[in-house]
């Protein structure tokens, strides 16, 4: 397809990051099996014996100073978000990932989703306009912009900016719901956003909604918001003080993240103060069918993940907003954790247990439950997940009342004063685990465990974790 706009991007031929920044990882004195948490020094790696670190791509080029964020996959490529834009990485040889191109397009979050020849990029910071050369501008200015940008990625070496769609309160995250039946040929993007203020012309209170962007794939320049359904007619959870300042329980003012399960016609939403299940059989008219709250331990409902057969949902609590040190004995095992719910056939949720890494981190290490994905193994419920400076955790929740960690990978604490760091998102894709580290770039891991013996036979050609596919597990 032809792009409607052009943007200033750095072409692949001009990048030196492909070979120079790629580092194959060999075991050495800094690779400490069985060591974790506060026992690790700054440049040391701790891991379980069944999770090997294969490669790392250091941050370089136009994205060197931006924060690494989310990942999407298509064929043999990874698309990695960054506060300064996004990159496309060749992962044909997972031991030697290679940067194909970097796109400079600053904006907070820059979460990515891919669909065929299109890439959807979330902008959740108020900008002077919708271009990739925009500058920061106050949300109190009516002309300021934030929302969804659409790129044509049919030529991975030369992505082209197609169009942009402004959405209320921006786009913190975005979720793809592919159209089917009479709606085939359209993508529906559920845009999650929050934090309204009466002084923001385009982000007014109350904000109990999501934005639905419809994208005709044959003509994406016609993308537009078709509805802003109110998911919380009663205003949602009103919020409450917690046991400490970082543990205040957030009021619901929109959603942080939504994960769709298109083949089941379901979606799970993590909406600050509420966890919800939606019927999305008609993607243009999502309908809330279940809602739960945790007024004792959850501070901020952050994200949701279905297991493979949609009998369970894992919700995460981003206690402290991702910048606090919460993986310690003082905070405990029930706050800043995952909550595991059983899901009935009619969409009812029943709480079963919490899961939190027990590898205690230091007082300067931001650590809390964050983004992860299912590892598709027959008869088991396995998930790989990021915990910021707590690293990567692979855990088993087959018994939803007794979850347990089966593998881990983490780095020692960043030097004091550097700020937040650690792994933002960690996902399983075609036999390997890929991680986007906020400060340290792109990591490739390999899990070798008895429980995942046949997982390599599950072949994926595209993965957007917030749009979970139907896995043909073996």
């Amino acid at each position: 397809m032809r792009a409607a706009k052009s943007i200033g991007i750095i072409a692949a031929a001009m990048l030196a990051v492909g070979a120079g920044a790629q580092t194959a990882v060999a075991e050495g004195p800094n690779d400490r099996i069985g060591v974790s948490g506060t026992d690790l020094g700054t440049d040391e790696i701790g891991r379980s014996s069944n999770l090997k670190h294969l490669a790392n791509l250091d941050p370089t080029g136009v994205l060197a100073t931006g924060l690494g964020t989310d990942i999407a996959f298509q064929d043999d490529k990874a698309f990695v978000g960054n506060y300064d834009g996004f990159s496309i990485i060749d992962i044909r040889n997972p031991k030697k990932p290679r940067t194909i191109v970097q796109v400079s397009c600053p904006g907070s979050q820059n979460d990515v989703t891919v669909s065929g020849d299109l890439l959807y990029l979330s902008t959740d910071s108020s900008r002077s306009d919708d271009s990739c050369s925009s500058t920061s501008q106050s949300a109190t200015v009516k002309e300021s912009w934030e929302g969804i940008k659409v790129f044509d990625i049919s030529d991975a070496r030369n992505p082209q900016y197609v169009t942009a769609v402004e959405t209320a309160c921006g786009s913190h995250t975005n979720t793809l719901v592919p159209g089917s039946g009479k709606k085939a040929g359209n993508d529906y993007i559920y845009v999650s956003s929050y934090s309204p203020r009466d002084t923001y012309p385009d982000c007014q209170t109350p904000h109990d909604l999501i934005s639905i962007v419809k994208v005709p794939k044959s003509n994406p320049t016609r993308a537009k918001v078709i509805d802003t359904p109110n998911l919380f007619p009663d205003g949602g959870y009103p919020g409450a003080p917690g046991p400490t300042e970082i543990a205040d329980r957030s009021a619901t003012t929109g959603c942080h993240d939504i994960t769709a399960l298109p083949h089941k016609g379901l979606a799970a939403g993590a909406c600050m103060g509420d966890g919800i299940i939606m019927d999305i059989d008609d993607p243009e008219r999502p309908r809330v069918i279940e809602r739960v709250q945790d007024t004792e331990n959850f501070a901020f409902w952050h994200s949701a993940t279905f297991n493979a057969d949609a009998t369970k949902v894992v919700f995460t609590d981003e206690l402290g907003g991702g910048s606090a040190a919460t993986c310690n004995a003082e905070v405990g095992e029930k706050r800043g954790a995952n909550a595991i719910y059983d899901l009935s056939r009619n969409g009812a949720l029943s709480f079963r247990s919490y899961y939190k890494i027990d590898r205690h981190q230091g007082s300067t290490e931001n650590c809390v439950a964050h983004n992860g994905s299912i590892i598709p193994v027959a008869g088991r419920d396995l998930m790989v997940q990021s915990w910021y400076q707590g690293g990567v955790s692979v855990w088993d929740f087959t018994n939803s009342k007794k979850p347990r960690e089966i593998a881990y990978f983490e780095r020692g604490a960043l030097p004091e004063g550097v700020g937040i760091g650690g792994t933002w998102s960690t996902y399983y894709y075609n036999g390997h685990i890929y991680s986007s580290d906020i400060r340290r770039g792109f990591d490739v891991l390999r899990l070798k465990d008895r429980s995942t013996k046949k997982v390599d036979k599950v072949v994926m050609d595209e993965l957007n974790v917030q749009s979970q596919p139907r896995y043909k597990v073996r």
Side-chain angles (χ1 to χ4, degrees):
M1 67 187 67
R2 300 297 298 173
K5 298 183 182 180
S6 62
I7 55 172
I9 67 173
I10 296 184
M14 298 175 64
L15 285 176
V17 295
Q22 189 274 325
T23 305
V25 180
E27 292 182 30
N30 289 338
D31 189 25
R32 304 182 64 188
I33 297 175
V35 181
S36 65
T38 55
D39 292 329
L40 291 171
T42 294
D43 294 321
E44 291 184 323
I45 286 176
R47 64 178 180 90
S48 55
S49 60
N50 57 351
L51 190 58
K52 188 172 183 179
H53 189 205
L54 298 184
N56 171 261
L57 274 174
D58 284 333
T60 55
V62 294
L63 306 184
T65 59
L67 306 182
T69 60
D70 213 356
I71 315 173
F73 301 89
Q74 190 179 84
D75 299 326
D76 52 13
K77 295 182 287 294
F79 302 79
V80 186
N82 183 290
Y83 269 53
D84 284 340
F86 67 91
S87 60
I88 303 178
I89 298 174
D90 183 335
I91 55 172
R92 283 177 294 182
N93 182 350
K95 293 181 180 179
K96 295 182 178 180
R98 180 180 60 85
T99 300
I100 299 171
V101 71
Q102 293 180 333
V103 176
S104 175
C105 196
S108 176
Q109 291 282 124
N110 275 343
D111 278 7
V112 290
T113 296
V114 293
S115 177
D117 288 341
L118 300 178
L119 180 145
Y120 305 114
L121 190 72
S122 287
T123 300
D124 192 36
S125 56
S126 186
R127 311 294 298 179
S128 56
D129 55 53
D130 66 0
S131 75
C132 282
S133 58
S134 67
T135 57
S136 180
Q137 181 169 286
S138 172
T140 61
V141 178
K142 174 62 179 173
E143 290 73 24
S144 295
W145 184 93
E146 50 188 325
I148 287 283
K149 298 185 178 85
V150 183
F151 289 80
D152 180 344
I153 54 171
S154 56
D155 180 356
R157 293 181 174 275
N158 188 27
Q160 296 294 309
Y161 187 175
V162 177
T163 192
V165 180
E166 186 172 15
T167 56
C169 296
S171 174
H172 196 73
T173 59
N174 73 82
T175 302
L176 170 68
V177 183
S180 60
K182 293 181 179 179
K183 295 179 172 65
N186 297 316
D187 278 344
Y188 295 91
I189 309 298
Y190 288 4
V191 175
S192 297
S193 57
Y194 56 94
S195 294
R197 293 186 187 178
D198 290 337
T199 56
Y200 294 169
D202 299 318
C203 185
Q204 292 283 291
T205 56
H207 184 75
D208 302 317
L209 54 84
I210 61 172
S211 296
I212 302 177
V213 176
K214 180 179 179 180
V215 185
K217 297 188 72 173
S218 62
N219 188 2
T221 59
R222 296 177 58 195
K224 64 179 181 179
V225 175
I226 60 167
D227 199 8
T228 54
N230 185 346
L231 303 183
F232 303 98
D234 65 353
Y237 181 64
T244 65
E245 184 178 346
I246 67 165
D248 286 349
R249 297 179 181 92
S250 295
T252 296
T253 58
C255 288
H256 180 278
D257 213 332
I258 293 170
T259 295
L261 200 64
H263 74 278
K264 290 280 189 179
L266 294 174
C271 303
M272 305 180 71
D274 293 272
I276 61 173
I277 299 294
M278 292 187 287
D279 180 328
I280 60 168
D281 271 334
D282 182 348
E284 296 186 6
R285 294 176 177 81
R287 182 171 58 90
V288 176
I289 58 174
E290 172 67 313
R291 178 175 159 192
V292 291
Q293 297 171 349
D294 183 340
T295 58
E296 184 176 355
N297 290 307
F298 260 42
F300 189 95
W301 294 70
H302 173 275
S303 54
T305 303
F306 292 94
N307 67 339
D309 62 2
T311 59
K312 299 170 189 170
V313 181
V314 176
F315 289 100
T316 68
D317 172 21
E318 194 182 39
L319 172 69
S323 62
T326 76
C327 297
N328 51 50
E330 180 184 359
V331 173
E333 62 185 19
K334 295 182 179 179
R335 290 185 285 139
N338 297 318
I340 304 163
Y341 286 78
D342 284 351
L343 179 66
S344 72
R345 289 185 178 181
N346 64 359
L349 291 167
S350 302
F351 173 77
R352 290 294 178 256
S353 67
Y354 296 104
Y355 168 75
K356 186 174 181 179
I357 60 171
D358 60 6
R359 294 173 282 107
H360 287 169
Q361 308 296 308
S363 61
T364 64
E365 293 183 273
N366 58 300
C367 177
V368 74
H370 212 234
N371 295 355
S373 74
I374 292 297
I375 300 177
V377 178
R380 303 288 292 275
D381 292 321
L382 303 181
M383 185 171 176
V384 59
Q385 186 176 13
S386 285
W387 289 78
Y388 288 110
Q389 288 199 68
V392 172
S393 177
V394 181
W395 58 289
D396 185 330
F397 62 105
T398 306
N399 182 341
S400 55
K401 292 184 178 180
K402 294 182 178 180
R404 61 187 181 89
E405 185 170 73
I406 64 172
Y408 75 90
F409 165 86
E410 64 169 290
R411 291 182 168 94
L414 290 166
E416 209 165 341
V418 170
I420 66 167
T423 176
W424 177 291
S425 51
T426 305
Y427 302 140
Y428 172 87
Y429 184 72
N430 285 339
H432 290 80
I433 290 170
Y434 298 91
S435 169
S436 173
D437 190 285
I438 293 171
R439 302 282 180 183
R440 287 166 162 153
F442 184 72
D443 289 302
V444 185
L445 307 170
R446 175 71 166 168
L447 178 66
K448 283 290 188 180
D449 191 85
R450 287 186 303 172
S451 62
T452 61
K453 188 175 181 181
K454 295 183 178 180
V455 71
D456 291 357
K457 295 181 180 180
V458 179
V459 178
M460 308 177 194
D461 57 9
E462 189 171 276
L463 178 64
N464 299 294
V465 169
Q466 285 74 34
S467 182
Q468 286 187 227
R470 186 201 304 263
Y471 293 113
K472 295 181 180 179
V473 297
R474 303 186 182 191

